[in-house]
Amino acid sequence: MSEPVPPAETGSAPDLAELARVVARQRAEMDRLREQAATSAVVERAKGVVMALTGCSADAAGETLLQRAKAARRTLLEECWITLGHPALARSGAGEPPVRSGTDTPGAASGLPGAGPSVDPSAPDDVAAALGRLGRALVRADTPQDLARCLLEHLAPDLGADSVMIYARRPGGELELVGHAGIDERLATQWHQVSPFSGVAALDALRSGAPRWLEDLAEDSKRYLLIGEPPERWRSRAWLPVSAGDGAEVCIGVLRGRSGPFTPSDRAHLRGMARLCAGQLRMPATPPAPAADAPRDAARALFEALPVAAVLLTPLRGPSGETADFRIDAATAQAAAVLGGTGGAPAGRRLREYWPGLTDEPLWQGFLHVLATGEPYEGEPFAHQEVVSGLAALSTYSVRVARLEDSLVATWTRHASSDRQEQRLADLQRLGNLGWANWNLATREASWSSQVFTILGRAPADGPVRLVDLPGLAVPDDRPALGRAVDGLVREGLPLDVPFRVRTPRGVRHLRLVAEAVADLHGTPVEVHGVVQDLTARRRAELALVESEREILTQHDVLRAERALVARLQNALLPLPQRAVDLAGLRVEVAYLPSQTGVHVGGDWFSAIELPDGDALFVVGDVAGHGVDAVATMAQLRFTAKGMVITGSSLTGALARLNTLLLHSRDTHATATMILARYEPGKQRLVWAQAGHTPPLLLRGGEVTYLRRPSGMLLGASTAPHFEEAECRLRPGDRILLYTDGLVERPPENIDTGLGRLAEAVAARPGDETGSLGALLDAMLEGERRDDVCVLDIRFPGKRQGSDGP
């Protein structure tokens, strides 16, 4: 409070007695306010104790204290100190308990056991004792940070707590960490503010008004966003809302490194702790000491007279001591326009409130660096849109920040147009990696920009070289050409544009000199203007491109030769019949189409032979990969499979031995798919086995089906494969297709789509006419083929399906 002092009359001295009375009244009012704040703090703490004991509301706790004070004929302040269990002090004063004697001990007067606050009678004795100790200790906690340290000190031995965090819910719904203990500052800064999103245990506890017990890390991590790096640092947690008035706005987290549930005793202990803290968190903050307004007013007056954009900033600290914001104590008239704030006068406002996007700017880090180290900060020039003489204009500014005792002074300097031109020229030279040079042929003086010294690897202290001496900087091979160009420029005024190389500490650089001469009235060159450009990066890219093209052409020739070799080898190993052949009463047509992409030949193959006993053997296989290795593996499997079946091996036995053959091959570790089928004409039975291959297709009576595949896995994939046989009784008019996956696969679609497309194509062309396989392939293989295709079309002549029949 303050009172105006009547102005003294002109020429008279001020009334000193009246001034003294005003000062005395102000001091008395300040003492009264301090006493009121101290009394309120003690009352709120005592309310918290009563709330912890009974679970009542804050208003009910206040009424209980008042009734106790009346019954014992004590003041409310005395009753509050007795409830808090504070020992009698040697002196009496505002906010302190008076000295009493007799039965006026804390325990006796309040009806509380011992020297501290009592607890719920249903609580275990050890919990009651622990809460009593905690209640006495909380008297000394003045801030949320002190409260967190006090809680951890008492909960660590009792409950094995490792950390304590206290969050307060702000008006916007977000959580702010107001106190913590047992966690490092980096983690505290990271979790200082929590957005009001679901999946946060503390926010969930505040919304529901009930504790959240996180006792299973695996399940809790699915439901909540867990604090910690890593979250396994605390394997069990408890978040308890604190009723500090109407509703719960504060949540206390107790984090333990050990796993396991909170016992009933632990939960009772933590609930009592939360009730004890309610009054502590309701306690009003101690009123700050009156600020000295005179220096601040003087600073504002000084800043109002400054002709530049400048602000005086005072740091505002967060709960853990970090700089959370700055207060704008003074600002010049030009500062508001440069800051681009939210409107209004900046002085007296928070900087982040006035400039919301500041923390995303480099200037914010500059503020923090200057505050921490005292070193001035110089920002990079930046463009700013402003209004000059009623017109919008783009100006260039730079900012400088310096520390003034515990504050910061930030000034923005507007660059003149000449400064901007210089800056643009410097940026052009830097971005284009070029620099300008002038040579006066009459005075033999030379001047270079700083970028030319950088390009030529020459120290500025050595100065520029004369134009006639410039060829001496080039490598020996380039000196003659550069010398002739310079000589023509100096003697005849011929412009030059010549590349040359120089050797610098950074290595050999590829440069370009472009220059022209200025002649006098008689046509004699008297001055030369030129530009030196560093083309090293572009030249290296060109050389790398040429080398890459050369390597590609060489590799293409090698691959083309390899493809021709493999194709000849494949044709020699896998001759294709020119027309359909008859085997054991079946008509067989074969098709093989190589891939149209790449230069490698694949490893698809087939066999269709008549066995010595009159049966027919049909084989279709596909070796993974392409090239010589794939063709070699194909030949090995093709001839080995035929040999084993001819010599009496069963189909499954042949597949098992072929698998062993691939596994023990030293040169390659190939894999392959295969179908082996044996047709017995006497029984009209087709017996077949497969190793990871697509199923055969059967066309019967115009209906298309795929044969059910017996067990069988990819060859070369396992040391203990299992193969089974299946059989199919053929009827006259039946058609069987054995094929490789290139016929049905079209990445990225699923192979089942390709199988369905094949079934539709076969059903649409059921005829038995010659050449129908070619029509089927044309329908299936639209566009470019990405893989080899091999097909065996096996028909049982008999019932006519088309115009051609037996």
Side-chain angles (χ1 to χ4, degrees), residues 75-372:
T75 66
L76 178 60
L77 186 60
E78 290 174 339
E79 183 64 32
C80 290
W81 275 110
I82 292 173
T83 301
L84 290 172
H86 199 289
L89 302 179
R91 66 184 186 278
S92 177
E96 298 178 349
V99 177
R100 303 184 63 86
S101 60
T103 60
D104 288 341
T105 61
S110 62
L112 305 176
S118 64
V119 295
D120 189 343
S122 63
D125 293 340
D126 55 343
V127 173
L131 290 177
R133 293 192 300 270
L134 178 59
R136 291 189 292 273
L138 289 180
V139 176
R140 299 185 297 273
D142 296 324
T143 65
Q145 190 67 18
D146 296 337
L147 178 62
R149 297 191 187 100
C150 182
L151 291 178
L152 182 59
E153 180 181 350
H154 285 74
L155 296 180
D158 295 337
L159 299 179
D162 294 292
S163 304
V164 171
M165 304 179 75
I166 302 178
Y167 275 105
R169 182 159 52 182
R170 296 310 181 201
E174 70 274 7
L175 298 182
E176 180 178 351
L177 184 65
V178 297
H180 62 86
I183 66 173
D184 55 79
E185 290 302 322
R186 183 183 60 81
L187 188 61
T189 301
Q190 179 183 354
W191 289 90
H192 179 67
Q193 286 187 327
V194 179
S195 300
F197 299 143
S198 59
V200 179
L203 192 59
D204 192 12
L206 286 174
R207 288 171 175 170
S208 64
R212 288 294 176 262
W213 311 99
L214 281 63
E215 302 165 323
D216 188 336
L217 183 65
E219 292 298 323
D220 295 334
S221 60
K222 298 177 183 178
R223 182 179 180 186
Y224 295 114
L225 179 63
L226 299 183
I227 297 174
E229 292 184 1
E232 292 79 7
R233 174 180 176 182
W234 296 297
R235 306 190 70 84
S236 59
R237 311 151 191 253
W239 291 97
L240 301 100
V242 178
S243 178
D246 296 334
E249 298 299 327
V250 178
C251 190
I252 299 178
V254 179
L255 296 82
R256 305 189 304 182
R258 73 187 189 194
S259 59
F262 291 89
T263 65
S265 176
D266 293 342
R267 296 193 177 195
H269 193 158
L270 292 175
R271 287 192 180 99
M273 175 272 296
R275 290 193 295 269
L276 278 175
C277 294
Q280 189 72 14
L281 294 170
R282 278 172 51 87
M283 181 186 70
T286 303
D293 292 332
R296 185 178 302 172
D297 292 340
R300 289 180 179 176
L302 172 63
F303 270 67
E304 288 176 358
L306 292 177
V308 297
V311 293
L312 177 64
L313 305 174
T314 297
L316 302 177
R317 308 288 183 179
S320 58
E322 80 284 358
T323 301
D325 203 346
F326 292 88
R327 184 181 63 244
I328 306 175
D329 286 337
T332 64
Q334 300 89 336
V338 178
L339 289 175
T342 56
R349 300 176 63 177
R350 288 174 175 254
L351 184 59
R352 291 176 60 182
E353 171 193 345
Y354 191 76
W355 190 354
L358 174 62
T359 52
D360 298 329
E361 302 288 339
L363 181 57
W364 175 258
Q365 297 301 325
F367 284 153
L368 300 181
H369 178 75
V370 175
L371 194 62

Side-chain angles (χ1 to χ4, degrees), residues 459-770:
D462 297 336
V465 300
R466 297 185 306 166
L467 182 59
V468 293
D469 297 330
L470 186 63
L473 301 180
V475 298
D477 292 344
D478 295 344
R479 289 174 188 169
L482 181 59
R484 287 191 298 270
V486 169
D487 187 68
L489 176 66
V490 172
R491 294 179 181 275
E492 303 176 26
L494 300 176
L496 65 82
D497 185 347
V498 58
F500 64 101
R501 292 168 293 172
V502 297
R503 193 175 302 278
T504 70
R506 296 181 297 165
V508 175
R509 314 297 296 178
H510 295 262
L511 309 181
R512 175 192 182 196
L513 175 62
V514 180
E516 64 179 5
V518 178
D520 60 10
L521 295 177
H522 306 288
T524 304
V526 294
E527 191 172 4
V528 173
H529 307 300
V531 174
V532 179
Q533 185 177 14
D534 189 346
L535 303 178
T536 304
R538 188 172 74 178
R539 182 58 178 164
R540 288 176 178 174
E542 292 173 352
L543 294 176
L545 180 60
V546 171
E547 183 64 24
S548 176
E549 292 176 349
R550 184 184 298 113
E551 291 179 357
I552 290 174
L553 292 175
T554 302
Q555 184 67 19
H556 192 289
D557 292 341
V558 172
L559 294 178
R560 182 181 299 171
E562 181 181 338
R563 179 180 177 86
L565 173 62
V566 172
R568 289 196 299 270
L569 177 61
Q570 188 181 50
N571 291 332
L573 297 174
L574 195 66
L576 292 175
Q578 299 299 320
R579 59 180 182 274
V581 296
D582 293 326
L583 293 176
L586 302 177
R587 194 183 71 179
V588 182
E589 189 175 352
V590 180
Y592 179 85
L593 300 174
S595 168
Q596 293 177 328
T597 61
V599 296
H600 287 298
V601 177
D604 292 18
W605 89 94
F606 71 92
S607 285
I609 62 173
E610 188 168 323
L611 300 176
D613 58 2
D615 294 351
L617 175 67
F618 304 104
V619 185
V620 170
D622 185 1
V623 175
H626 296 79
V628 176
D629 291 338
V631 173
T633 304
M634 174 269 290
Q636 187 180 34
L637 292 177
R638 181 172 185 263
F639 292 114
T640 304
K642 290 195 299 183
M644 285 189 292
V645 175
I646 289 175
T647 55
S649 292
S650 64
L651 302 182
T652 56
L655 289 176
R657 292 183 178 87
L658 292 174
N659 181 76
T660 304
L661 178 66
L662 287 183
L663 289 176
H664 291 82
S665 177
R666 295 183 179 180
D667 297 332
T668 62
H669 298 282
T671 58
T673 66
M674 183 186 300
I675 282 185
L676 288 175
R678 182 168 187 156
Y679 176 67
E680 301 174 5
K683 300 179 180 180
Q684 297 183 354
R685 186 178 70 154
L686 182 72
V687 181
W688 64 288
Q690 63 89 27
H693 205 83
T694 50
L697 180 144
L698 170 64
L699 174 63
R700 174 175 291 171
E703 182 179 353
V704 176
T705 58
Y706 285 99
L707 302 183
R708 187 185 61 83
R709 295 196 311 169
S711 297
M713 64 189 311
L714 187 75
L715 297 180
S718 173
T719 57
H722 176 68
F723 301 103
E724 294 181 355
E725 292 182 351
E727 72 172 57
C728 175
R729 297 280 182 172
L730 297 185
R731 303 174 187 174
D734 284 352
R735 182 183 183 185
I736 295 286
L737 285 184
L738 305 181
Y739 53 92
T740 57
D741 56 6
L743 182 65
V744 293
E745 281 189 338
R746 287 185 185 177
E749 70 179 16
N750 190 286
I751 193 172
D752 292 336
T753 304
L755 293 175
R757 186 167 54 252
L758 176 61
E760 293 175 359
V762 172
R765 297 167 179 81
D768 196 32
E769 69 276 6
T770 302

